[in-house]
Amino acid sequence: MGRIIILDEKTANQIAAGEVIERPASVVKELVENAIDAGATAITVEIKNGGISYIRVTDNGCGMESDDVEIAFERHATSKIRKIEDLDNLSTMGFQGEALASIAAVSHLEVRTKTAEEQTGTLVKVEGGKVLSVSQTGCPTGTTFIVRNLFFNTPARYKFLKKDSTEAGYVSAMMVRLALAHPEIAFKFINNNQVQHHTPGNHDLLSVIYSLFGNETARSLLPLDYEETGIRVSGYVGKPEIARGTRNNQFFFINGRTIKNKVLTAALEDACKTLIMQNKFPFCVVNLKISPELYDVNVHPQKLEVRFSNENAVYSALYHGVKSAFTAASLIRETTETAYAPSGKAGDQTGHEQVEMASWNRPASKLPPPQRILLPWELKKQADDGHAGPNETEKPALPIMDVPIQQSEEPETGTERAVSVTSSLAHGKAFSEPGTSQDELVTVKNEPEPDASHEMLSEEARGADVLLEAEIVGQVFDTYIILQHGDRMYLIDQHAAHERIRYETLKKRIAEGQACSQMVLEPYIVRLSPAEYDFLFSRMADFERAGFEIEAFGPQTVIIRSVPDIMGGGFSLDDFHEILDRWMETMGEKYGISDEAIYMMACKSAIKANRRMEKEEIRALLEQLCAMENPYTCVHGRPVAISISRRELEKRFKRIV
């Protein structure tokens, strides 16, 4: 008798369900995506015990007709596509026709649904993939799924679930991604009878980010709006001060679908190099609008992975979109007073925080046209061809940003308006978050004080150039330069500023093929390891382009006769070893001059802390700094300058309250 048999339908369905439904978060994802495809504008998700014992998903979408409800639980039953060619123009979240069948196969499921044309709704109960009953019921237009006892008939899968709080965390993270992907939908997430997330659904992504991540994150975002080769990049990228130690706060979407893709991650982080501290990762919410013909989502059952037909075009669009956002923004960090919620509850905002909310959620000026910034391989090709370096044109004017709305401490006559925590001030509307009472609205003056506002507008518009107009007060601790301009004080980290100047100068020289060597009085003799020796001589042309003149001087020994001129008399063998180590670590088998090696050369040659500078030197440093492409951070991502307002100082000294 043969050993091969055909599995029965029940076993086959449970195995197939394991590919689509891994945990409660998978159930939530599939049901919410169906609600999105149904045109819902409000979706509520409620779970208990991490979603293992209870999941309820309610939407106000179009609902299902009574004739379709029962068949919807069959495998490969779908309303999204009709033939394989439809995948080339896919516009829906779901299409495989396996989600409902998979969920029903491993749970006790109940669905209530009604279309706008029907007088009564339909109630279907399913257990372990078997339809138990179909009946009429009263319900509003839309669909409600209730899933109980997940994996009750698959103990092998059930025992590998994590504890309830962990599973609830997965569901919460899934809801965050779905809400960010669809700001036009109001999402509510309830965990064990407590509301955890509630987004307004007002088509404003910034309001969604505020609802999910709070005021500090929302105030520190730069808008993305860029298009290249038919790929549209939109969303927000975080300023350096909100970078985190993991990539958990990086959200990528393609046509509203949550995805994970290494090409997008690489493009984002390459665009943020030298802006963000090492081992930190930028915050972003990025949505790509791209023709469905240019990517494939039918790669994995959960549809998280995608493949692009032209990865270089996608990389280029996102890289230039993020780079342009940083180039057009002023990144001088401002100290602000921390606002505390007196109730001590997460999510509570005081009136002070609500007014601060108004300072970022306001109409921004139109950004200048983005500059074309050459990609790494384009820089290398340009250098090989002997062409001039990039970005030699005049820098675009920086936009007006972060102009706070003045709060009136005493009621005054004149027009007033109400602003709530999630108000969309960018559209000039008074908007309150669902559940916010009128008593919680904060009244602010519709017109800020003209003098203070005008001064701040002009300073923000000038960006880093305001440093050139500031008065040099002096130094503190022989490390930080103090400037004063109007009602603001600026502190400049002299080492970080000079490091940025050295980095961009050296990189431009290398790209243009300029000579940048300086002969040393006494050559350095260095003994290297076999790996270091082989690496150095395999890339000798690149070392020469960087400004080194090195020759063999015996077995595994070299003599250094010239070094990059920016390093001058401060060069040491320790510096050479650090540059070589960083170069080897970051380049591996690839050729070219490592960016990290250039970082190290810039750092080692820059003015150090505890070094007294004359005013003429400070002025020269500021002029060079403001001529740089990025005058706001050092090569490691640390801030070059911070500003402190006179008002903030007076508040700290309790001269005003």
Side-chain angles (χ1 to χ4, degrees), residues 88-393:
D88 294 334
N89 296 289
L90 193 66
S91 60
T92 58
M93 305 296 292
F95 58 88
Q96 294 173 336
E98 293 195 43
L100 292 184
S102 298
I103 296 170
V106 293
S107 68
H108 297 149
L109 186 146
E110 180 181 304
V111 58
R112 288 179 170 85
T113 184
K114 187 181 86 69
T115 64
E117 293 78 17
E118 294 177 323
Q119 296 298 318
T120 60
T122 304
L123 170 63
V124 177
K125 295 182 179 181
V126 186
E127 181 177 318
K130 181 180 180 181
V131 177
L132 299 181
S133 65
V134 180
S135 60
Q136 291 184 338
T137 187
C139 63
T141 300
T143 304
T144 297
F145 283 94
I146 298 177
V147 180
R148 295 184 175 92
N149 305 322
L150 191 63
F151 300 129
F152 78 99
N153 56 352
T154 53
R157 176 57 60 90
Y158 179 84
K159 72 179 182 181
F160 282 102
L161 292 175
K162 301 184 184 297
K163 59 184 180 180
D164 292 355
S165 60
T166 303
E167 294 296 339
Y170 291 134
V171 177
S172 178
M174 178 63 65
M175 291 300 298
V176 168
R177 291 195 291 270
L178 290 167
L180 291 172
H182 298 277
E184 74 280 6
I185 300 176
F187 286 92
K188 180 185 286 187
F189 173 53
I190 304 171
N191 179 24
N192 292 331
N193 300 317
Q194 293 184 344
V195 177
Q196 288 197 347
H197 307 313
H198 194 181
T199 62
N202 62 346
H203 297 264
D204 183 7
L205 178 57
L206 197 58
S207 294
V208 177
I209 295 173
Y210 178 83
S211 300
L212 298 173
F213 298 99
N215 186 28
E216 180 182 355
T217 298
R219 286 170 55 92
S220 302
L221 298 178
L222 301 174
L224 296 177
D225 190 2
Y226 185 83
E227 187 168 357
E228 182 179 300
T229 63
I231 301 173
R232 177 74 178 273
V233 179
S234 62
Y236 292 91
V237 62
K239 293 181 180 179
E241 53 262 37
I242 61 170
R244 297 293 184 265
T246 68
R247 294 186 176 92
N248 292 339
N249 285 339
Q250 294 181 1
F251 304 94
F252 297 100
F253 309 99
I254 182 168
N255 295 341
R257 182 190 300 277
T258 301
I259 62 170
K260 294 181 179 179
N261 187 272
K262 293 182 178 179
V263 173
L264 300 179
T265 302
L268 170 70
E269 294 177 5
D270 286 350
C272 294
K273 277 188 176 179
T274 79
L275 293 171
I276 292 176
M277 293 282 289
Q278 293 180 350
N279 300 319
K280 296 288 186 179
F281 303 97
F283 176 99
C284 77
V285 179
V286 175
N287 192 15
L288 300 178
K289 293 291 185 182
I290 182 173
S291 171
E293 299 176 354
L294 302 180
Y295 66 93
D296 181 13
V297 297
N298 195 22
V299 177
H300 189 273
Q302 293 189 358
K303 303 185 286 290
L304 284 176
E305 300 177 13
V306 297
R307 291 176 182 166
F308 295 106
S309 60
N310 188 346
E311 291 186 345
N312 286 341
V314 175
Y315 177 100
S316 177
L318 180 55
Y319 178 92
H320 289 120
V322 174
K323 202 74 172 177
S324 298
F326 279 111
T327 302
S330 173
L331 300 181
I332 297 179
R333 304 188 188 186
E334 180 179 355
T335 60
T336 57
E337 183 179 14
T338 302
Y340 297 94
S343 65
K345 296 180 181 179
D348 290 347
Q349 282 84 23
T350 64
H352 175 73
E353 287 179 302
Q354 291 175 329
V355 174
E356 283 195 353
M357 170 68 182
S359 70
W360 58 260
N361 202 1
R362 52 160 233 311
S365 62
K366 186 177 180 181
L367 296 179
Q371 285 183 292
R372 172 70 182 181
I373 303 166
L374 297 185
L375 297 172
W377 58 78
E378 295 173 327
L379 279 173
K380 184 177 186 304
K381 182 178 185 302
Q382 185 186 74
D384 293 340
D385 295 340
H387 296 162
N391 298 325
E392 293 185 345
T393 59

